[in-house]
Amino acid sequence: MTTDGQTMEQPRFDGAADQGKTGLAGVLERAEEKAMDLGKNAINAIDSKRATAAGTLSGAAGQLHAGGDKISELSHSGGEKVAQLAHGAADSLQASADFVRDHDLKAMVGSLEQYVRSNPGKALIAAGVVGFLTARAIRND
């Protein structure tokens, strides 16, 4: 109340919380859109590099096949087993190259998830090996 008998209207804060939510919701929505855009850009960048990666794997497979052939030419006795191993590794690399070339990132992730579900032990061992090798590569000794 004021001195002249009129009541002074008190400020209302009921809508302030709603306005804060709307403002926060807007910020969160924009952040989500940015994150989605970044994710799409990352997927597009990875997909654009698939052909290069597949070509590199194919090249390595070809070199392994050539090395296996040279080994079998130079040594007819014990070299035959080494040549077979080299050709087997080359065939695996070529299959990997074909897989990378033929599948987008989403399909590759799906295949990886399916493999991990069906072979959890092997997947855990592979993850440990990859982690160890990554740590060794990063560490500066």
Side-chain angles (χ1 to χ4, degrees), residues 107-132:
M108 286 189 271
V109 169
S111 291
L112 180 63
E113 287 175 350
Q114 182 180 6
Y115 179 81
V116 169
R117 285 188 185 115
S118 60
N119 301 294
K122 288 180 182 179
L124 188 59
I125 290 170
V129 169
V130 168
F132 174 77

Side-chain angles (χ1 to χ4, degrees), residues 20-34:
K21 288 180 185 176
T22 303
L24 180 59
V27 169
L28 290 175
E29 186 176 321
R30 286 190 301 274
E32 183 179 356
E33 287 173 4
K34 288 261 187 201

